Amino acid sequence: MASGFLVLISFFTRIPIGNKIEYNEESFKKALSLYSLMGVIIGIILFIVAIIGSLFRFDYVMGLLLTMCYTIVTGGLHFDGAADTCDGLFSGRTGDRIFEIMSDSHVGAFGVLCLIFVVLSQFVLFSNIGIFACFIMPIVGRTSVIVSSWNKKYAKKSKGMGTVFIESINTEVLIINILILTICCIIIPNKILMIIASVVTLISAYLISNWIEKKIGGMTGDTCGFITEICQIIFMFSVILLQELI
């Protein structure tokens, strides 16, 4: 599981872990129980950057630093998936044509709009949330992917890494990842607020994945990237909204 977890980090982040990590499908499957733990590592990095950013006079400096940091650490991997998903799902096409659009290396109008929305939202929301919400945000994002992939099948006819990921999310993997998120929320200040915002986000992830399933018959690697980015925005927005209400 440890080697599989390192494979997860090497695939889904740009965190340097050495060149001797080899992909093993069985280890990869086992490590999916720790998928949210990868969000903990990203969250710690964002937490440190948030502390540094909070030393500056303007909140937007922190927002810019965090947006840049998140993009660098993840390599923009989920941005690409989010853009491809929007191009395909909002194209007005059906069937295999949607997958053809999603697989196209060119970014369409909906993809560009999606990228603008995601990056701008991150910048604004990062500028207005606390350092502990910055820590929880990537954990919620990765747990959302697990929730959205649970009880789903891989939508494309061709098999790939996304097939292994999506079709390996069983109830045990789901519970362990949610447990990791819950523990992380409990050990920080404003735990009730974080838990409520996390629950809202996970419910949103499940509902969005059901909508995607109706459109294309399941989930893909691109739609997982879309879920990650959208749900992180939902979480940060929920935190800000709850802070005003509570």
Side-chain angles (χ1 to χ4, degrees):
M1 184 178 288
S3 61
F5 182 65
L6 292 177
V7 170
L8 287 178
I9 295 175
S10 67
F11 268 74
F12 296 106
T13 75
R14 292 297 179 266
I15 299 173
I17 56 173
N19 299 320
K20 296 183 179 181
I21 304 301
E22 295 183 2
Y23 173 74
N24 179 283
E25 186 172 303
E26 196 60 34
S27 297
F28 181 83
K29 289 180 179 179
K30 291 180 180 178
L32 291 176
S33 295
L34 303 177
Y35 188 72
S36 296
L37 194 59
M38 182 173 57
V40 174
I41 296 174
I42 299 172
I44 291 172
I45 296 173
L46 293 179
F47 179 79
I48 294 171
V49 173
I51 292 175
I52 296 172
S54 64
L55 300 176
F56 291 90
R57 180 179 177 182
F58 300 105
D59 291 337
Y60 291 118
V61 174
M62 184 174 76
L64 179 60
L65 289 175
L66 286 167
T67 303
M68 290 173 60
C69 176
Y70 177 79
T71 303
I72 292 170
V73 170
T74 62
L77 175 67
H78 302 304
F79 291 165
D80 181 65
D84 289 341
T85 297
C86 286
D87 276 338
L89 295 184
F90 296 111
S91 64
R93 306 302 175 86
T94 58
D96 291 340
R97 181 55 183 150
I98 292 179
F99 296 124
E100 291 177 10
I101 295 172
M102 290 171 66
S103 300
D104 194 331
S105 59
H106 298 89
V107 181
F110 287 111
V112 171
L113 289 173
C114 174
L115 290 175
I116 293 173
F117 170 77
V118 169
V119 174
L120 185 59
S121 295
Q122 285 189 356
F123 170 65
V124 173
L125 294 170
F126 271 139
S127 301
N128 291 280
I129 64 173
I131 57 176
F132 293 104
C134 292
F135 167 66
I136 295 294
M137 183 273 279
I139 308 173
V140 174
R142 276 120 202 100
T143 308
S144 296
V145 174
I146 298 297
V147 170
S148 64
S149 299
W150 177 68
N151 204 27
K152 299 290 191 305
K153 65 179 183 179
Y154 189 67
K156 293 183 180 179
K157 295 177 182 178
S158 59
K159 304 297 181 180
M161 180 68 71
T163 312
V164 178
F165 182 94
I166 293 165
E167 296 187 352
S168 298
I169 307 301
N170 54 34
T171 302
E172 179 184 351
V173 172
L174 174 71
I175 292 173
I176 294 174
N177 277 279
I178 291 178
L179 183 60
I180 292 172
L181 170 61
T182 304
I183 292 172
C184 290
C185 288
I186 291 174
I187 63 175
I188 63 174
N190 297 326
K191 56 179 69 67
I192 300 300
L193 186 149
M194 296 299 170
I195 290 174
I196 294 174
S198 296
V199 169
V200 170
T201 305
L202 297 185
I203 292 174
S204 299
Y206 186 72
L207 294 176
I208 294 171
S209 69
N210 285 344
W211 172 73
I212 292 174
E213 186 178 36
K214 290 179 181 178
K215 296 281 288 187
I216 60 176
M219 293 285 288
T220 70
D222 285 335
T223 61
C224 285
F226 174 78
I227 291 285
T228 302
E229 297 303 334
I230 294 301
C231 285
Q232 287 176 164
I233 291 171
I234 291 173
F235 171 75
M236 290 191 287
F237 183 80
S238 299
V239 168
I240 293 174
L241 182 62
L242 288 168
Q243 286 175 336
E244 295 296 323
L245 296 176
I246 297 178

